[in-house]
Amino acid sequence: MEENNNRESLINRNNKLSRSQSHAYDELKSFRSYLRWMCVDQSSMATACLSWAMFVLFGLVVPATSHFMLACSSCDSRHGRPYDSVVQLSLSSVATLSFVCLSRFVRKYGLRRFLFFDKLWDESETVRRGYTNQLNRSLKLLLIFVIPCFVAECAYKIWWYASGASQIPFLGNVVLSDTVACVMELCSWLYRTLVIFLVCVLFHLICHLQILRLQDFARVFQVDSDVGSVLSEHFRIRRHLRIISHRYRRFVLCSLILITGSQFASLLITTKAHAVVDIYRAGELALCSITLVTGLLIILRTATKITHKAQAVTSLAAKWHICATLDTFDSTEGETPRHDSGQVFPVVGTDGESDRDDAGDEEDELDNSKLIPAYAYSTISFQKRQALVTYFENNRAGITVYGFTLDRSTLHSIFGFELALVLWLLGKTIGIS
């Protein structure tokens, strides 16, 4: 008997290891190929060297060369680039942060472990299928954010070079030189925006897995579960949220600082005296700001969403507890006779409307106005239910950055702080009091 148990444990361990290892036909095969095409794959020494070379070329060398060699101080008012330094510094700094963080994640954890695919072996089929589908949609989401910005940048650069702004024949011919310079600048812009949005989309993907797990976890309150299994599952979810917070906390904090500094620098140079702001001079600056702010909003919205879902478990557990308590008193006092163990409370909203009415897209397994069926708590005592609710109230999960929970109140504080800085800066530049 003991030998059979040891053999079964070894088989299970081998199954876990075989799933956590990378192989040619795993779920990440197509995703790895896309990363290879984007020149950010670092699964081997050769691809890592190529990835770093592309980063140095398109993230640092091309922007610096473009700024110092193509400044065009003698150009007319339409072709001047007075805000190019802020554009290049902002994009390159955030792209550098994103690339360094992505390289560290892949080198330290590996792609499968970083994306939590090694943890999917003990998840439900619903979670596995939903996470795999979200992985396939992530690349489409990446293109949705990158392509519009790149198309706008292409239109601006092609106009800038085609109208004769650059007259530096470093290849012996003006047309050939302008073509090469335009292509290199466009590749640099595309590469930097791809790297920035890739890290943001990967954060969104990882958090989506935890949302799927939380929605699957909410089903334990719809069946007759024991408190021990509920606690162990919640422990596992909280641990994964702490892992995500620990991995991304530097990136989130540094991104917030860099992007905020970039926006204030843009505001400062565009509101100073004698500054000319039009689509020809400040169009690229506006496009850079939209790109960076969009990436930051992806991170903050994803973090607050998963924090809201994680904290909604407390409300769900309290509702489960009160439904069980009311049902117990009704059965004891004989006010509501029970015909079978499958009695269900009438599902009615707070305003007396039926559940069939449209409640919007905000309701899901975690956050809804449905009452809990009686069979979901028939074997759990009042003391255990109360202890579980108390535990949820004092152990709220979510994404944190050095101890600060990223929830809606934190977003309100960030918005208020930055609005105060904006008003102060405007008061110093254009006299708003």
Side-chain angles (χ1 to χ4, degrees):
M1 177 72 75
E2 186 174 352
E3 293 181 358
N4 292 334
N5 292 334
N6 292 334
R7 186 178 302 171
E8 290 179 359
S9 62
L10 288 174
I11 291 174
N12 293 332
R13 185 179 301 174
N14 291 332
N15 290 334
K16 297 177 186 179
L17 291 175
S18 64
R19 184 170 181 84
S20 64
Q21 293 173 349
S22 299
H23 47 86
Y25 300 100
D26 62 354
E27 305 93 332
L28 296 173
K29 181 181 178 181
S30 60
F31 191 75
R32 293 180 193 276
S33 64
Y34 286 117
L35 293 182
R36 221 170 283 120
W37 279 103
M38 288 186 285
C39 297
V40 292
D41 180 33
Q42 300 188 13
S43 57
S44 64
M45 182 61 67
T47 55
C49 293
L50 177 62
S51 176
W52 277 96
M54 291 296 102
F55 165 70
V56 172
L57 176 62
F58 292 118
L60 301 176
V61 175
V62 173
T65 304
S66 169
H67 175 69
F68 290 107
M69 292 186 61
L70 303 176
C72 195
S73 57
S74 60
C75 291
D76 57 20
S77 60
R78 287 190 173 186
H79 294 86
R81 301 197 298 183
Y83 311 121
D84 185 66
S85 58
V86 176
V87 173
Q88 302 298 346
L89 281 175
S90 300
L91 273 181
S92 294
S93 60
V94 180
T96 301
L97 172 66
S98 303
F99 182 82
V100 171
C101 290
L102 181 62
S103 301
R104 178 178 176 273
F105 294 153
V106 176
R107 184 180 64 254
K108 185 175 181 179
Y109 306 108
L111 190 59
R112 291 183 61 82
R113 186 182 169 195
F114 172 63
L115 297 179
F116 289 91
F117 269 90
D118 61 322
K119 306 294 184 182
L120 288 183
W121 62 270
D122 57 349
E123 302 293 346
S124 66
E125 184 64 27
T126 303
V127 174
R128 289 199 295 267
R129 188 185 305 112
Y131 189 50
T132 305
N133 294 335
Q134 183 64 27
L135 174 67
N136 298 328
R137 288 195 298 267
S138 295
L139 295 173
K140 298 178 182 178
L141 183 64
L142 178 64
L143 295 178
I144 289 174
F145 289 115
V146 171
I147 288 180
C149 298
F150 182 65
V151 169
E153 178 67 10
C154 284
Y156 174 78
K157 288 298 181 184
I158 292 174
W159 166 82
W160 197 82
Y161 280 97
S163 57
S166 175
Q167 300 290 333
I168 305 177
F170 54 87
L171 294 178
N173 183 276
V174 174
V175 176
L176 180 61
S177 300
D178 287 353
T179 302
V180 173
C182 181
V183 171
M184 293 297 288
E185 281 203 82
L186 290 177
C187 290
S188 174
W189 182 283
L190 178 62
Y191 179 82
R192 286 180 289 175
T193 53
L194 268 175
V195 171
I196 293 170
F197 281 119
L198 178 61
V199 180
C200 299
V201 169
L202 288 180
F203 178 72
H204 177 269
L205 172 65
I206 295 172
C207 290
H208 184 78
L209 171 61
Q210 309 310 315
I211 292 176
L212 291 174
R213 295 183 58 201
L214 284 168
Q215 292 175 349
D216 193 62
F217 171 73
R219 295 192 178 96
V220 301
F221 296 102
Q222 304 292 332
V223 297
D224 193 2
S225 306
D226 63 286
V227 175
S229 62
V230 175
L231 274 178
S232 61
E233 180 63 23
H234 192 260
F235 287 158
R236 199 162 62 95
I237 293 175
R238 286 192 65 209
R239 181 176 179 274
H240 286 181
L241 290 176
R242 284 198 301 268
I243 290 174
I244 297 173
S245 301
H246 180 75
R247 291 177 182 176
Y248 265 92
R249 59 184 181 179
R250 293 186 183 90
F251 175 76
V252 174
L253 181 61
C254 293
S255 296
L256 182 62
I257 294 174
L258 288 177
I259 296 175
T260 300
S262 169
Q263 300 313 300
F264 280 116
S266 302
L267 183 64
L268 181 62
I269 63 176
T270 54
T271 55
K272 66 180 181 180
H274 310 296
V276 179
V277 179
D278 53 30
I279 192 172
Y280 301 104
R281 294 191 175 194
E284 199 171 19
L285 178 64
L287 187 59
C288 172
S289 299
I290 292 173
T291 301
L292 297 181
V293 171
T294 302
L296 182 62
L297 289 179
I298 292 174
I299 297 174
L300 295 180
R301 181 185 180 277
T302 302
T304 53
K305 183 177 181 180
I306 191 174
T307 301
H308 173 72
K309 297 294 184 183
Q311 294 180 355
V313 174
T314 303
S315 175
L316 183 62
K319 181 173 62 175
W320 170 73
H321 181 37
I322 190 63
C323 290
T325 304
L326 291 177
D327 181 70
T328 302
F329 277 102
D330 289 344
S331 300
T332 303
E333 298 174 3
E335 296 178 1
T336 306
R338 179 179 297 182
H339 298 288
D340 51 39
S341 60
Q343 176 188 357
V344 181
F345 284 103
V347 181
V348 179
T350 55
D351 54 357
E353 296 180 356
S354 172
D355 184 63
R356 290 189 298 268
D357 294 331
D358 185 15
D361 297 330
E362 295 298 322
E363 290 198 352
D364 55 15
E365 298 289 341
L366 286 166
D367 192 5
N368 57 64
S369 57
K370 299 177 182 178
L371 298 179
I372 307 297
Y375 57 77
Y377 39 73
S378 58
T379 62
I380 302 179
S381 64
F382 176 88
Q383 289 80 5
K384 290 183 178 180
R385 295 196 306 270
Q386 182 62 40
L388 186 63
V389 172
T390 304
Y391 162 77
F392 284 135
E393 289 176 347
N394 293 279
N395 293 272
R396 295 179 178 270
I399 299 296
T400 60
V401 176
Y402 293 102
F404 294 94
T405 304
L406 289 179
D407 53 9
R408 292 171 180 175
S409 61
T410 305
L411 283 189
H412 296 160
S413 302
I414 294 174
F415 176 77
F417 174 74
E418 297 203 356
L419 180 61
L421 288 179
V422 167
L423 294 177
W424 174 81
L425 184 60
L426 291 178
K428 296 294 183 179
T429 55
I430 61 177
I432 292 180
S433 58

